Amino acid sequence: MSGGVDSAVSAALLLRAGFQVVGVTCRFHDDAGARAAEADAARVCEALGVAHLVHDATALFERCVVEPFAEAYARGLTPSPCVGCNACCKLPALASVAAELGCDRIATGHYARVAQLSANGRFVVKAALDARKDQSYMLALLSQEQLARLVLPLGGMTKAEVRVMAADLGLSVAEKPESQDVCFIEGDYRDFLRERGAAGEPGDVVDRTGRVLGRHEGLPGYTVGQRKGIGIAAAEPYYVVEKRVAANELVVGFANEARIGAVRVSGMNWQAFEALDGPREAMVKLRYRSRPVACIMEPEGDRRVRVALRAAQPTTAPGQCAVLYEGDTVLGGGMIEEVEQA
């Protein structure tokens, strides 16, 4: 129970379906916003007539989400903390509470669905019926054990329907705004990185040939694919196309240099099958808000895959997640470690 409308309506739907429900709010960071969310969740649970408890997961969140976030930026990556959080922090924290309470299933307010494949019995995430709210990308790293226990009540609903149901139930969070993407950062993420000593040092901005064009303020302050805020004038806009951490160089190029033809992905978590045994056609999302594009997956050793794009795409940042689909089914996902220019 995050204190938002989605988890509130999820609990209400589970009650209607005949489940016994306990509302659990995981405390990932201790500040005024988190305390307010806990209070909202408690009010929802009281209105629904279910027990509510707060589980302190601040140490787990710091170790599994916050520290890796800062470390990734220091290594020149642009991480996707919410994807990793679901698999490494949120679901493990909820599983711990479920074990203590003797609960068989775990439910969240994500807009996605869980299914079991008839061919091999494996569990997979499927896209939500409302494509505009689909969060299947965010659940691509979940394990078979996690998926086997997961219930996603909102997979067949729209956000508007969720808000109407919350209002009909008289829940105080019916019109509560959406939460921000990175819950542990308020304001500019660069300030957070400076506090963590991961803001980097100034260095040269260069083109692909190594010609110096200007100066940057620290590599973590830039993202591959970024166009604005580079601070170098030219006949056409420059894009960030690479971050050379060893040389502390920010590499920029024009639009034709900011398109990619393939990505290499590591740490693959396969949901639909145990391993990729040969080239296979699929669709891939290279970032959360992007549309899936056609590709060919090619295995490259243990939990590594090269994703060759059928058509060149705008570049994406190493550290982001690539999530592979077949239709509306998540095949698997992993971290982009390298991009290949088109």
Side-chain angles (χ1 to χ4, degrees):
M1 301 291 291
S2 66
V5 66
D6 295 330
S7 57
V9 170
S10 294
L13 288 169
L14 292 168
L15 287 170
R16 283 188 179 181
F19 287 94
Q20 291 181 301
V21 178
V22 178
V24 178
T25 302
C26 290
R27 180 181 298 157
F28 296 129
H29 42 94
D30 195 355
D31 56 25
R35 296 288 181 172
E38 291 170 13
D40 285 340
R43 281 190 287 271
V44 166
C45 287
E46 183 178 8
L48 294 176
V50 302
H52 175 254
L53 60 89
V54 176
H55 175 68
D56 187 350
T58 52
L60 179 65
F61 187 75
E62 174 71 21
R63 183 174 70 254
C64 296
V65 180
V66 180
E67 290 178 0
F69 178 85
E71 291 167 359
Y73 266 105
R75 300 200 316 271
L77 304 175
T78 302
S80 299
C82 299
V83 182
C85 177
N86 285 318
C88 299
C89 185
K90 183 176 293 184
L91 265 294
L94 291 173
S96 174
V97 179
E100 293 178 5
L101 298 177
C103 296
D104 297 322
R105 309 299 291 273
I106 297 167
T108 71
H110 288 96
Y111 288 83
R113 296 171 291 155
V114 175
Q116 188 172 18
L117 300 177
S118 58
N120 58 15
R122 290 180 66 86
F123 293 92
V124 294
V125 174
K126 284 181 170 285
L129 296 185
D130 182 357
R132 294 169 298 178
K133 288 299 297 177
D134 175 46
Q135 293 176 304
S136 58
Y137 177 98
M138 293 294 183
L139 304 177
L141 300 187
L142 297 190
S143 68
Q144 290 297 294
E145 181 181 6
Q146 291 169 333
L147 290 172
R149 302 183 67 186
L150 184 61
V151 180
L152 301 175
L154 304 187
M157 298 184 70
T158 66
K159 186 74 174 194
E161 290 171 336
V162 167
R163 289 200 184 279
V164 167
M165 182 174 176
D168 288 345
L169 291 169
L171 301 180
S172 59
V173 296
E175 297 301 324
K176 187 173 179 177
E178 301 272 8
S179 58
Q180 62 183 9
D181 284 340
V182 183
C183 65
F184 56 93
I185 295 178
E186 294 185 9
D188 195 326
Y189 79 98
R190 297 171 184 85
D191 294 332
F192 171 85
L193 293 177
R194 276 190 283 272
E195 293 172 2
R196 293 272 168 163
E201 299 294 333
D204 289 332
V205 178
V206 302
D207 63 16
R208 286 198 179 276
T209 69
R211 181 167 62 100
V212 177
L213 303 173
R215 297 282 287 174
H216 66 76
E217 299 177 356
L219 293 181
Y222 303 84
T223 299
V224 172
Q226 176 180 333
R227 181 173 70 86
K228 297 182 179 180
I230 300 173
I232 299 174
E236 58 180 295
Y238 275 119
Y239 293 77
V240 175
V241 296
E242 186 182 352
K243 295 196 282 187
R244 296 174 180 164
V245 177
N248 195 27
E249 291 178 340
L250 185 73
V251 185
V252 299
F254 296 126
N256 65 313
E257 299 174 272
R259 296 183 70 78
I260 57 174
V263 296
R264 281 188 160 83
V265 185
S266 63
M268 282 298 304
N269 175 67
W270 296 111
Q271 292 185 353
F273 39 79
E274 289 188 12
L276 182 66
D277 56 9
R280 179 168 174 166
E281 293 192 5
M283 303 291 286
V284 63
K285 290 184 73 170
L286 298 174
R287 59 186 71 80
Y288 175 39
R289 300 295 182 187
S290 69
R291 301 177 72 173
V293 296
C295 68
I296 298 177
M297 307 181 294
E298 304 166 351
E300 289 192 336
D302 184 38
R303 300 182 65 199
R304 289 171 55 87
V305 64
R306 180 177 183 268
V307 179
L309 305 171
R310 286 291 194 181
Q313 298 296 319
T315 190
T316 191
Q320 292 289 292
C321 282
V323 177
L324 293 141
Y325 292 81
E326 190 170 85
D328 62 357
T329 299
V330 172
L331 300 177
M335 187 191 77
I336 298 170
E337 63 176 20
E338 181 184 347
V339 300
E340 298 180 16
Q341 188 178 2

